[in-house]
Amino acid sequence: ADLRMSWWGGDSRHLATQEALKVCGEKHGHTVAPEFTGFSGHLEKLTTQLAGGTEADIMQVNWPWLPLFSINGDGLADLNALSGTLDLSNWTPEQLGAATMNGKLNGLPVSTTGRVFMFNKATYDKAGVPLPKTYDDLVTAAKAFKEKLGEDYYPIDITTLNAVLIVSNYITQKTGKDLIDPATNTVAWSEDEITEGLNFYQMLVDNGVMRSWKVATGSGISNLWENPAWSEGRIAGSYEWDSTYFKYSDTLGEGQELVPVNILSVEGGQTEGVYRKPSMVFAISQNSENQEAAAQVLNCLLNEPEGIAALGATRGLPASKAASAQLTEAGTIDPILVDANNIVMASTGPNVSPFNEHPEVRSVFTDTLELFAYGEISAEDAADEMILGINEVLEKY
Amino acid sequence: MTTVSETMTTQDAARAVQAKLARRRRISASIRYAILAGVGLIMLYPLIWLIGASFKTNSEIFSSPSFIPKDPTLDGYIEGWKTSTPYTFARFFWNTFLIIFPKVLFTAISATMVAYGFARFEFPGKKILFASLIATLLLPNVVTRIPQYLLFRDIGWLDSFLPLWVPSALAGDAFFVFMLVQFLRAVPRDMEEAARVDGANSLQTLVFIVVPLLKPAIISVCLFQFMWTMNDFLGPLIYISSVEKYPVSLALKLSIDTTEAFDWNKILAMSVLAITPALAVFFMAQKYFIEGISSGGVKG
Amino acid sequence: MGLAYVMPYLVGLLIFTAFPFLYSFYLSFTDYSLMSEPTWVGAKNYEKLFTRDRTFDKSLKVTLIYVFTTVPLKLVFALFIAVILNYRLKMIGFFRTAYYVPSILGGSIAIAVLWRYIFADTGLVNMFVTALGFEAINWFGDKANALFTITLLRMWQFGSAMVIFLAALQSIDRSLYEASAIDGANAWHQFRFITLPLITPVIFFNMIMQTVQAFQEFNGPYIITQGGPLKSTYLLPLYIYEKAFKNFDMGYASAIAWVLFAIIMVLTLVAFWSSKKWVYYAGDKRS
Amino acid sequence: MAGLTIRNVEKTYGNGFKAVHGINLDIEDGEFMVFVGPSGCAKSTTLRMIAGLETITGGEVRIGDTIVNDLAPGKRGIAMVFQNYALYPHMKVKNNLGFGLRLKRRPKPEIAEATQAVSGILEIGELLERLPKELSGGQAQRVAVGRALIKSPDVFLFDEPLSNLDAKLRASMRVRITDLHKRLRAEGRPATVIYVTHDQVEAMTMGDRICVMKDGHIMQVADPVTLYEKPANAFVAGFIGMPEMNLVESILDASSGGANLSIGAQTLDGGTSLGSRLSDQPSAVTVGIRPQHLAQVPLGTPNALEGDVRVIEFMGHEVNLHVEIEGHPFIAVIDAEKYDRSIQRGDRVALSVLIERLHVFDRASGLNISLGGA
Amino acid sequence: MAGLTIRNVEKTYGNGFKAVHGINLDIEDGEFMVFVGPSGCAKSTTLRMIAGLETITGGEVRIGDTIVNDLAPGKRGIAMVFQNYALYPHMKVKNNLGFGLRLKRRPKPEIAEATQAVSGILEIGELLERLPKELSGGQAQRVAVGRALIKSPDVFLFDEPLSNLDAKLRASMRVRITDLHKRLRAEGRPATVIYVTHDQVEAMTMGDRICVMKDGHIMQVADPVTLYEKPANAFVAGFIGMPEMNLVESILDASSGGANLSIGAQTLDGGTSLGSRLSDQPSAVTVGIRPQHLAQVPLGTPNALEGDVRVIEFMGHEVNLHVEIEGHPFIAVIDAEKYDRSIQRGDRVALSVLIERLHVFDRASGLNISLGGA
Ligand SMILES: Nc1ncnc2c1ncn2[C@@H]1O[C@H](COP(=O)(O)OP(=O)(O)OP(=O)(O)O)[C@@H](O)[C@H]1O
Ligand SMILES: Nc1ncnc2c1ncn2[C@@H]1O[C@H](COP(=O)(O)OP(=O)(O)OP(=O)(O)O)[C@@H](O)[C@H]1O
Ligand SMILES: [Mg+2]
Ligand SMILES: [Mg+2]
């Protein structure tokens, strides 16, 4: 059959995917027309296509988009129905669960990713402090940095999205709960818990652990890795997706070394609170006339040696067991990435609800946190507002 | 004797005044150039940066604010030109041309015609029609995007260039129509009247009289349409899905995935290339703004 | 006769424009998540918009501030440069092109990067500011300043307004400058009393268009500040976009868009009405 | 067949100003009709209505047998010379000239030939490659005339086509235009001409008939001699003739059978011939005497008017004597050869009147009451 | 002190056309100088150079004692009326008039007053609230004149300011302008005027002196009487006077002491007075006779020229008789009262010549050789 597949990405992903499609197409006797773009605008494009029913047969879908496209599970094809063709055994139930909407498997996780701490060892060495293991270590490190290296040295950078995730991580460690209670589909944290998390954030700022929100925004450079302060080691750490390790290490100056470490712990934490999720899924169009064929190609891409080899690690460490094994064996993947990923995989934490990344939920969280960070509202009010706001969004589902 | 010397001194004085005037002119000219050049630099700053950066290596781009690359490389251009698709950038330029050419051409024609109709004729419903023209300008197009997409889907024009230029060819860009209407209303009717008496029908009047008189404005229309089409990213993104039909604007963002590391110098190098036609076209067209057809026509 | 000339527009209107336009109006009365059919909800979207939506209020305020600072500044600047570039100077072609460059760069990604560089805490602008002995300004981080960087970006891209002004300056009868020179007008007088009144049709055009564009400003804040900090650059189009393509609430987005439409429409009508007083059309019919 | 019929034509401008008040006029096929009248009397407006450039707000205009009120200008078979030239600024002179023919899709060589011919007539051969802005005022005006001539239409409309030319050129152009008109008539394809001018010589020498207008009304339409010798009213009398006719308020006393016209303290005896024509007329009249019908006579001559010289204008072959008689300004035109050069400003002189050429107008209506049945 | 000195002034236009060839002229403070010349002879160009609107490509212009070549127009103390009016299209008539004063920051009431005064003089009082496009041609021209008058400058530059007016209005405007000029002179604040016209009457009656131009050269500068009676060359002779002087090629034979001028087969005897002035002159000459100096005499009268009547133009008080003599066209102007109305086209007539007023020009140089020492 004649199929189409759409995705976004960079050059290496484009090349690899085109190659893989050729290979898998030939293998199963299909032709697959590639449709790819950069990331910007891809959501609009995909949305428009879905609204018009003209989407490609196979789509790369960002995990947080799932509830948008298919809150009832019927916006995309239910892959359970194609389990004859798709070898679902390559994924853990947890992984499949993350891609299941309303009981329907809407996509196959391509890779699993999560946040890890990464620190610039060179700077820490210069300051004579070990790499942190707990959040308290950060405060200690900050003191040492200011004394030994200068006022503009920071042990870590926590702003905007990172701030949201760190606050989340802190509260999750404290409570052992994800932001959203899957049972009731409401905010799981209490007002006090959130207040505590916010105060914790403020404490970090006050101790010079990271730049304040305002200063960070004012730096004008939204991407940390583009920031000279990062490449020169003045900002000596961050909390990032494991898969983005190289993005951050590439721009480091000579002699610097970026080391991924275990999740920093909070005193009395109930869990490590890892933020782990499928990075993206491959989905099949509900409107596709050749779902079977699409499933063949999809299976080839994710589970069959030809496809796996061709795709390589251009979408991170594969979630599919077969792929992961094949690539590890072939040594295609840089060991440090494996290390980072291992940290993510090994850490504990409650399941992360996709609603964490629901745009409205995210905005409420971020906006409120920003208000708090700018000192516009108190921690209590912020906590209150967050709960109200997020619950209001969730109510719709 | 005294009178002679008097006239001498008055003449000298006159010369002195002359010299002073000339000096003042020179000074004011140099001031003008200085300001022009100074402000011009601010205008050019990004372009210079862009060009400089396109010759830098990837890691140098953000680490050094200097314009001049430490060790210049053509890699950005060579790699960028190849692209991650089966096609080179030449293909994307060609696609852009296929869109721009009919679009600019027909926009100029249709916008001029429609503007002429609005500015020079009375007909029933003119007010309402003109109001609708203005109205289409006012609605944020975010919300018409989906319905428009559905429309073109039903016409069967998806993944073709047609949605990108046909509406413009039917005077769909109210901006241009409105602009030409304003220009036309500022042009006296005398010449058109003469042409009418000379036996020109209204179309001939349009072609032979109005168009030449509106030349600067029409050239602006073409320029804008050119630039904007060149830069338009969202339109092609939504309507074109086959890579082989991508125009430059889309191809430029093809490799940018913010969640991944990507090669800035390639992208910048191709940006430079993408800007070049626009720069060239503008440079060539701007001379029509030097001396239009001094509209008064006759002097004594 | 006239109808024949506007035919292309009429056809285009009926085929391409009318449907999306009206459909979006219909959508503003629906709940439409894009993935399912729209469901009619009456005026609910509007009701929410006017009574319970604080983001809208805030965003509208920011938008109005933005529009009423950017448009006049940009117009004055564009006209000023156009007048200068209308002289016959050496290398004028080069200068004109140079001044148009920012507009050619348009939405190019380099612009976003660059603009953030220029206004960064240690950027070019702050280098000046500190050189002048002032304290460095937090451009993006301070909610009082962020919007201004967007305004400046748009002013800096004054090219298209300038080109339109340039084209208009061309059409002024030279003999009027001669007559006024003899009347004793200096350069300023000529500008004020001849140039300005005679290009009022185009000033009017630019004014309307710049206002409309400012109301629809999206790219600037989107690529540079993402609406922040504290939503101080969160213009309405950003909000509409977010509602439409991030929250998939197309019905609500349409409602906001139509409210915005109504606001611009009212302003435009006022402008058209006032134009009778100050715009001079040499080509309008004698009778 | 391109006579013109103008029936009750009116024009009210957008600002409410009524420029033309229901005029009626018949112009025959091939006739040369001259429009004259004071500035602002609606000559151009009338012409523009005939051309179709101005909407006719009342009445109808017919060219030949067709009502043209709603016909496009280009379809009326007319050519027009505009008062402000209205040359196409972006076209060279030759293209300005050839434009009309080009529209008619005449072959190129024919256009070139016609352009040559017309530019010969108008002496603008050297200017063909210039743009309008490179022309002098007179040159531009000639190009405008050329643009009309080249089209050989049924009806020519000329709006002050020679006003910017010097006397010599003007005289020669005048002759050329009349010649052309006559030649066309002789060749059996007569062209109707409407010619607006403020030049008396043009009006008198060119027109088959002259239409005198005032404030949007037609005052008189007649051939030049009639107009000059038998003006229908004081306005026409004053308007035609150079220098203008001396018009002075007077009291008529025709009771004696003669006609005594008192001008201030002085009285003119009109004799019985005039008297017979003026019986039964009101006594409040205006007397009209052409400057050429005044002659300088020795002081004390009977039936002569006496007054003080105010201005003496030397005109070459004749002298204009401005004389104040009983507080009224009079002009007398005196042959330079017969003129007494010793006369000075302030001197008192006597002027005799050519009684047979004297006109008497009803002061109320302005109508000429001295024409009688003659 | 606003006399004008023009020294070797030249003008070459951008397209390479040399319009003015090094002219020299002195105009005194308060003088009324008229420029005349054929269309395209560079009158406007010269005026525009004086005004500062056209760069002077050679020589210098001084106003008073200042070389103004590089002075801005507004600083020269001049006012100008443009041939194409150049009214500000977007300003009402009153603002067009008041604009110059407004720029000088005169108080509003003063401007209003001056506007009233000027519009009174020019009879445009009712038009003050109109826009230029709502004016007739003549009205627009008057507004243009008003714009100059209102400024009371040192130097007035008028470019054919009355060309679009009818005879009557023109005559009255003419008088008003000269009056104004005289009044200013009388009041001790004389204004220098340069006045371009193609109207002979204006030229002869208004100017203190007349400057006759041709193809960018000055042909003669003199007061009107001198210009008319003693033209320096054939061009001036032909240009001044209406209808123009009859100029005909002739062979001079002054050997007998007298002056025999042969015109074709006929010969004119100039008598000894002329003969004495013409001895030693070349024999190839041009004879100039003003039409007014020809009189109709019975056929056979001695020393009269005979020819055939070609055209008879009735001009009201006089008749233009176009007569072909020996193949040359002659015009004779004959008093209408003395004119024999029986004469028909084609008749043969005899014309006597007023020998004292006859001019003889060297055919090669064009110079008048009959002026002698007188
Ligand atoms: N567009 C207009 N709006 C209002 N009034 C106008 C308009 N055009 C002309 N008029 C008026 O109509 C009258 C007639 O104008 P028109 O141009 O016909 O005069 P004209 O006889 O040609 O005069 P002239 O000899 O000065 O050219 C004038 O009083 C003029 O002011
Ligand atoms: N811009 C120009 N470029 C080239 N030649 C020009 C230009 N303006 C005028 N001329 C030429 O210069 C000569 C003088 O022009 P000018 O306008 O001074 O004549 P003029 O004496 O005013 O004539 P008129 O009585 O017809 O107005 C003319 O032959 C004209 O064609
Ligand atoms: Mg007129
Ligand atoms: Mg001239």
Side-chain angles (χ1 to χ4, degrees), chain B residues 235-258:
Chain B
L237 175 76
I238 287 175
Y239 292 112
I240 308 265
S241 16
S242 312
V243 177
E244 82 238 29
K245 291 181 189 154
Y246 280 7
V248 168
S249 56
L250 207 48
L252 270 183
K253 303 201 180 177
L254 202 55
S255 328
I256 305 179
D257 179 353
T258 41

Side-chain angles (χ1 to χ4, degrees), chain E residues 150-223:
Chain E
I150 204 169
K151 285 175 59 190
S152 36
D154 298 332
V155 181
F156 280 103
L157 305 174
F158 290 105
D159 200 349
E160 315 208 358
L162 310 179
S163 62
N164 274 298
L165 305 184
D166 59 281
K168 189 167 166 172
L169 189 57
R170 189 187 189 104
S172 86
M173 295 282 281
R174 171 162 45 101
V175 172
R176 285 173 206 207
I177 291 176
T178 7
D179 277 358
L180 184 75
H181 180 247
K182 288 200 186 113
R183 204 176 64 222
L184 288 174
R185 184 140 62 181
E187 288 172 5
R189 43 196 187 101
T192 310
V193 174
I194 306 182
Y195 190 103
V196 173
T197 182
H198 53 261
D199 183 311
Q200 297 259 338
V201 178
E202 283 172 23
M204 298 301 265
T205 56
M206 300 177 85
D208 293 324
R209 283 193 297 161
I210 298 175
C211 168
V212 183
M213 296 183 71
K214 181 192 171 193
D215 291 346
H217 296 277
I218 292 182
M219 303 309 289
Q220 185 172 7
V221 185
D223 63 284

Side-chain angles (χ1 to χ4, degrees), chain D residues 13 15 39-45 83, chain E residues 130 134 136-139:
Chain D
Y13 275 111
N15 63 358
S39 170
C41 72
K43 305 178 294 291
S44 298
T45 304
Q83 194 164 4
Chain E
R130 296 224 191 139
E134 297 170 342
S136 79
Q139 289 164 342

Side-chain angles (χ1 to χ4, degrees), chain B residues 299-300, chain C residues 174, chain D residues 85 126-127 130-142 164-166 169, chain E residues 11-20 37-48 54 83 159-160 196-198 213 215-216:
Chain B
K299 68 156 186 64
Chain C
R174 265 190 58 223
Chain D
Y85 325 145
E126 296 142 31
L127 310 174
R130 296 225 191 138
L131 286 173
K133 65 177 170 187
E134 297 170 344
L135 300 179
S136 80
Q139 289 164 342
Q141 200 168 44
R142 278 179 280 162
N164 274 298
L165 304 185
D166 58 281
L169 188 56
Chain E
K11 173 73 194 180
T12 309
Y13 275 109
N15 62 359
F17 181 78
K18 187 157 189 179
V20 177
S39 169
C41 72
K43 305 179 293 289
S44 299
T45 304
T46 309
L47 223 59
R48 290 168 55 83
E54 211 73 71
Q83 193 165 4
D159 200 349
E160 315 208 358
V196 173
T197 182
H198 53 261
M213 296 183 71
D215 291 346

